[in-house]
Amino acid sequence: MIITAIITVIAAYLLGSINFAVIFSNAFMKKDVRELGSGNAGTTNVMRTAGFLPGFLTFLCDALKGYVACYLGKTIFEYISHFQTGEWTAPIYGAYICGLVCMLGHVFPIFYQFKGGKGVATSVGIFAVCCPLAIAVGLLTFAIVLVFSKMVSLSSLAATIVVVVLSIVFYDATASVIPQAVLCILMGIIVFAKHSENIKRLLSGTENKIGSRR
């Protein structure tokens, strides 16, 4: 059963490594989005350089791969729990572990020289499985901050904090809160680490706003 769990985690990483930003930028523009704009292989850069449709498709597919990875992890761990005793087989652990690994695949994709996105869109799908309430409030937070700040990075960081905190507060009671909290926080750290340059610009007041020229 441990082999089954390991295979599931590897599958989550490989799924996360499918970089839809690169796929759709190549499909619509015949160019690698990592060589355009901010150089980030994510929704915002695709939308800025290729347009709304490829940007929307990137967001949708990145979120979907996060959802599928978590759902797969949750389902497989639930199956394992029927044959293997122990708290580690709790389905929510499978969801969070596969979610974290999927995000790592998105950020460091093996298929694209380990140069990927920032993990925000993928986290939407991940927490849609792990804690739907948290991601619902997180998306609302993102929208509100975006309306007032016109900054996608600030909105993403604010939403990340909200999602991580709420996921810990409303943890899955079928398993221990500590492992869930650790996995949530690790995903939050990844998002913040990938936004390090944005954070520097936010602190210096030079961060780009929607509609501004880079």
Side-chain angles (χ1 to χ4, degrees):
M1 289 302 167
I2 293 178
I3 298 299
T4 302
I6 292 173
I7 292 173
T8 303
V9 172
I10 292 173
Y13 172 78
L14 294 176
L15 181 60
S17 291
I18 302 173
N19 194 294
F20 290 101
V22 176
I23 291 172
F24 288 122
S25 64
N26 278 319
F28 282 85
M29 300 189 300
K30 308 299 181 185
K31 295 180 180 179
D32 189 331
V33 71
R34 294 173 298 177
E35 299 174 357
L36 303 170
S38 66
N40 180 58
T43 298
T44 303
N45 198 33
V46 174
M47 198 166 288
R48 281 173 175 163
T49 57
F52 176 80
L53 179 58
F56 174 76
L57 290 174
T58 297
F59 172 82
L60 184 64
C61 292
D62 278 349
L64 185 60
K65 73 182 182 185
Y67 183 93
V68 171
C70 281
Y71 187 80
L72 177 65
K74 189 173 184 178
T75 301
I76 295 299
F77 271 59
E78 184 174 11
Y79 170 77
I80 292 173
S81 68
H82 294 311
F83 304 93
Q84 185 83 38
T85 58
E87 189 184 2
W88 74 270
T89 63
I92 191 63
Y93 291 167
Y96 270 119
I97 291 170
C98 286
L100 174 61
V101 173
C102 180
M103 182 180 285
L104 287 172
H106 176 78
V107 174
F108 305 108
I110 192 172
F111 305 131
Y112 299 94
Q113 301 82 46
F114 301 99
K115 185 180 178 183
K118 297 180 179 179
V120 177
T122 303
S123 70
V124 173
I126 291 170
F127 285 96
V129 175
C130 295
C131 190
L133 175 61
I135 199 59
V137 178
L139 288 171
L140 179 61
T141 301
F142 178 91
I144 292 173
V145 176
L146 185 63
V147 167
F148 286 98
S149 71
K150 300 295 189 295
M151 290 185 283
V152 175
S153 59
L154 181 61
S155 305
S156 298
L157 293 172
T160 297
I161 293 173
V162 169
V163 169
V164 170
V165 170
L166 289 183
S167 294
I168 296 172
V169 172
F170 298 103
Y171 72 97
D172 190 314
T174 62
S176 174
V177 63
I178 295 177
Q180 296 179 61
V182 170
L183 292 166
C184 284
I185 292 170
L186 285 175
M187 284 189 271
I189 289 173
I190 291 172
V191 172
F192 266 73
K194 291 296 293 183
H195 281 82
S196 59
E197 293 302 317
N198 302 90
I199 292 172
K200 291 177 183 177
R201 290 194 295 270
L202 285 168
L203 293 175
S204 65
T206 59
E207 178 64 319
N208 296 294
K209 294 186 177 182
I210 294 177
S212 65
R213 292 189 176 185
R214 300 191 67 82

